[in-house]
Amino acid sequence: MTAGIYLARSKAKAVILDTGTLGGQMVLTYEVANYPGVLQTTGYQIASTMKKQAKTFGCDIKSNVQITDLDLKGDAKKVTVNGQVVYTAPAIILATGGRSRMLNVPGEKEFKGKGISYCATCDGDFFQDKEIIVVGGGNSALEEAVALTNYASKVTILHEFDHFQAFEHAVEEVKANPKIDFIMESHITGFYGDDQLKKVKYKNLKTGEEFEKEIDGVFIFIGYEANTEMLKDKGVALNRWNEIEANEKMETNLKGVYAAGDCRAKQFRQITTAVSDGTVAALNALNFIHGR
Ligand SMILES: Cc1cc2nc3c(=O)[nH]c(=O)nc-3n(C[C@H](O)[C@H](O)[C@H](O)COP(=O)(O)OP(=O)(O)OC[C@H]3O[C@@H](n4cnc5c(N)ncnc54)[C@H](O)[C@@H]3O)c2cc1C
């Protein structure tokens, strides 16, 4: 949407094609407290305002469409929508975002954003003096567990193996932290509560024994997936995690094809970083179109 705002405001003919309702992960975010210049708002509110802004400048927005074909290699980029309409343009910005890998156990979808989170930077603050579980055993799980001790009164790391797949210094750090506890060789079998998460059930994978634990929040860090399935065999360079490779100008390996936001290989995935990528991609796409 940021790219749409910049393109339309520069009088380029821009269209946003979204398989969803527009707003992406922002609409899953109830409260956003770290978007500069806005003290406290909801993800939905930011998304609606961005949409309004893009439309006001003349950006065409098509939501809930299915992209059935994509040709990115030639000078004219072609996007086929719903097997019928073909959009042709000299430049395209790929901004398909991503999703956190889910545990896929009962209650997870229901309590997402109501006690279950996939982002410590975004939601840690809401768990001040609360008891939480961190699921995962890689570097990001351990690093985020330590970060979450700045808010939570107690953090329990729950991991499926008897050891962590993280750097030694990260393992030492969690072990030395008095606020952090461990449940090893276990996995969560279900999430329970009313309008907010209250309890988890988990199983010891070695003994088969099942347990219940009352809890205020659960943070899940078991990996991240970019929404790049439609780019397979389309010529765009992806890294081994299927994230789009783009340089500082948001240029991909294909001329006239740009990437922005969470779908590209990058360190931090936030609204601010997506907005920044969208700006850079749009301005460079404009330069490309005008031969600058
Ligand atoms: C629960 C939660 C809480 C968060 N809280 C915060 C927070 O407080 N602060 C913060 O800064 N960040 C937060 N984030 C992160 C932030 O929401 C993302 O970094 C940001 O939304 C990324 O924007 P994006 O446009 O790159 O991708 P997305 O938001 O993922 O949007 C991608 C869009 O592309 C569409 N799409 C997907 N595939 C296709 C396709 N094949 N064709 C066409 N369209 C497609 C989707 O429908 C979607 O609308 C949170 C994320 C989550 C999940």
Side-chain angles (χ1 to χ4, degrees), residues 155-176:
V155 175
T156 302
I157 299 179
L158 188 146
H159 187 41
E160 57 182 337
F161 301 120
D162 63 355
H163 61 281
F164 294 114
Q165 295 91 352
F167 294 129
E168 199 44 48
H169 69 84
V171 177
E172 279 168 16
E173 204 178 345
V174 289
K175 286 189 174 163

Side-chain angles (χ1 to χ4, degrees), residues 54-163:
K55 272 193 162 170
T56 306
F57 292 129
C59 185
D60 188 7
I61 298 178
K62 309 269 185 235
S63 41
N64 293 312
V65 297
Q66 278 311 311
I67 291 171
T68 45
D69 200 15
L70 199 57
D71 181 358
L72 301 173
K73 288 182 186 156
D75 284 344
K77 317 298 172 196
K78 289 186 191 136
V79 185
T80 310
V81 169
N82 300 338
Q84 295 168 344
V85 191
V86 181
Y87 290 88
T88 307
I92 181 166
I93 298 170
L94 304 167
T96 50
R99 57 195 187 269
S100 296
R101 192 165 288 141
M102 295 179 72
L103 287 171
N104 287 320
V105 299
E108 188 177 8
K109 278 196 190 128
E110 200 181 330
F111 292 107
K112 189 172 172 178
K114 295 177 182 167
I116 299 180
S117 170
Y118 302 83
C119 178
T121 316
C122 319
D123 299 330
D125 190 31
F126 304 133
F127 293 88
Q128 204 79 45
D129 300 320
K130 304 265 172 147
E131 226 180 282
I132 59 172
I133 288 176
V134 164
V135 181
N139 282 310
S140 58
L142 301 201
E143 280 164 21
E144 301 293 26
V146 172
L148 285 164
T149 59
N150 290 323
Y151 312 104
S153 55
K154 188 177 165 198
V155 175
T156 302
I157 299 179
L158 188 146
H159 187 41
E160 57 182 337
F161 301 120
D162 63 355
H163 61 281

